[in-house]
Every structure is written in structure tokens, then in C-alpha cells.
Amino acid sequence: MDLDGSARAVARFNRLCSALAAGWMLLILASVFIRPPGTRDFGQYYMGGLIARLGEWNSLYPIPHPDAKANAGWQAYSTMHPVYADLARRHGVGDVNRFIHPPPWALVFVPLSLLGYEWAFRVWIVLMLACVWGVAFLSGALAEIVAGRPSRLRGLLILIVAASPLSYRVVRTGNISALVALSVAVTILGIARSQTMRGAIAIVVGAASKYATVLLILLALACRRWKMVAL
């Protein structure tokens, strides 16, 4: 396929891809509301917010098994703190993945803990879908920066990212990886366009959630974005 062509034809193609991507994401949203999936990954975020709101900080983290060989956040390798387990039972969360993020990150989820568990999950899914859309949109924007001109590659990337099986799985399970991916995309675009404050915030968010953007500080240094790194 010719990825260039006239500006008008490229714009039409990119709009069509964006519309198809948006339609697909609306179908995912409808499927979650009609037939909610398991909330294995989301449970730990809800519990983190609940623990923070109630001030039960000593019960935030699980107790790893002495012979654990993998992530203590998984049920098979740890035991919930008794207070954590009681709260999970009373709020309908059950025995799902445990909270393992840095303590301040639990404060981010306090607003979600004000809702019932099922409705909090639905709100979270909407937020993660918005993050996936942001990743798709910024991927297209970065492609045009690399190409140096309007290109059909923008629309193709938007559609590929939005319709990716990995994006679908992340959203369905309520994993935070969509937010992490958006942080990576915003950081890279911030470095490319010298968007100092936006890039700095994205680095902090990505590092606090899953450490993913820490390595991008090296990219910012290589591109001499001194103020971004300082912020």
C-alpha cells in the first residue's frame, strides 16, 4: 500500500481507521458492561484504595510464602494480611491478586474505593480504554514525526494498537498496563516535541505504577531535555 498520496486522501484514510478503532473499542466496552469478566488484576487496585482510605496501612502488602519463587502478588505465593482478607471478603473482592505497588500509589485508587466493587471495575475499564485510545493516537502521531509528513501509517497504527489482542486482554482483565503504556507514549512524544511538563509528569506516573519509564530518563538525557529530567 502507498502510505503517502495526496493530503486529502491520507486524511480520509486516517479518519476511517480512527472511526473503525473507536467502534471496536465501544464494542469492548459494551461486552464488559453486558458480561463482566473476572477482575483478577483490578482487585489489587481497589483494595489498595480501600486500605488507604481506611488508614489500614500495615495490612497493605501480602505475606510472602517462605519458599515463594515468583511474584508475591499472586495468590499461590503469598497470604493476605488478615485485615486485608477481611476487607476483601466484605467488599466482594475475594481472593484475587494482591496489592504490590509503591504505597503512595494506593492513594490514587481511593476515589474508586468509594464505589461498589463492580461499578468501580466498570469505571476503571472506561479509564483503561481511554488509555488504550491515547496510546493508539500517540503512536500515529509519533509515526508522522518519524516520517516527516502526513502518512497513512498514522491511521494504520491507530487501528492496529486499538484492535491488538494484547490491548483487548489488558482491558478485559483490568490491568494497569494500559496506563503504563500511555505514560511511555506521552514521555516519548514529550521528548520528541520538547513538551517538558507533560513528559516529566508521564515519567513520574509510569515509574510510580510499574517503573517502566525510568529507563526513558536516559533517552531524555541523551536528547538534552535537562529541565524535563530535573522536574
Side-chain angles (χ1 to χ4, degrees), residues 39-57:
T39 58
R40 181 185 63 191
D41 290 328
F42 173 69
Q44 63 175 305
Y45 313 135
Y46 185 85
M47 287 302 301
L50 184 62
I51 293 291
R53 180 163 63 85
L54 298 178
E56 296 285 354
W57 291 101

Side-chain angles (χ1 to χ4, degrees), residues 67-122:
D67 59 346
K69 295 181 174 62
N71 186 352
W74 296 346
Q75 300 98 306
Y77 299 110
S78 66
T79 302
M80 290 185 288
H81 188 283
V83 174
Y84 187 109
D86 180 61
L87 288 171
R89 178 185 57 80
R90 288 195 283 125
H91 287 81
V93 179
D95 187 6
V96 294
N97 289 347
R98 295 84 155 91
F99 187 86
I100 56 170
H101 294 270
W105 199 241
L107 297 170
V108 175
F109 302 108
V110 168
L112 287 173
S113 73
L114 297 171
L115 302 172
Y117 184 53
E118 293 299 327
W119 274 106
F121 177 67
R122 289 182 172 92

Side-chain angles (χ1 to χ4, degrees), residues 44-45 101-102 105 109 124 127-132 134-136 138-139 166 170-171 174-189 199 201-216:
Q44 63 175 305
Y45 313 135
H101 294 270
W105 199 241
F109 302 108
W124 181 250
L127 293 174
M128 291 305 98
L129 273 172
C131 287
V132 170
V135 173
L138 294 182
S139 296
L166 181 59
V170 165
V171 170
N175 193 277
I176 202 172
S177 295
L179 176 60
V180 178
L182 181 61
S183 299
V184 171
V186 172
T187 299
I188 294 174
L189 192 65
I201 292 173
I203 288 174
V204 172
V205 171
S209 56
K210 277 194 175 178
Y211 323 110
T213 52
V214 173
L215 286 176
L216 293 178

Side-chain angles (χ1 to χ4, degrees), residues 54-68:
L54 298 178
E56 296 285 354
W57 291 101
N58 288 336
S59 64
L60 181 61
Y61 292 111
I63 304 166
H65 294 166
D67 59 346

Side-chain angles (χ1 to χ4, degrees), residues 1-12:
M1 177 184 291
D2 180 12
L3 294 178
D4 299 317
S6 71
R8 186 174 298 177
V10 169
R12 280 199 305 268

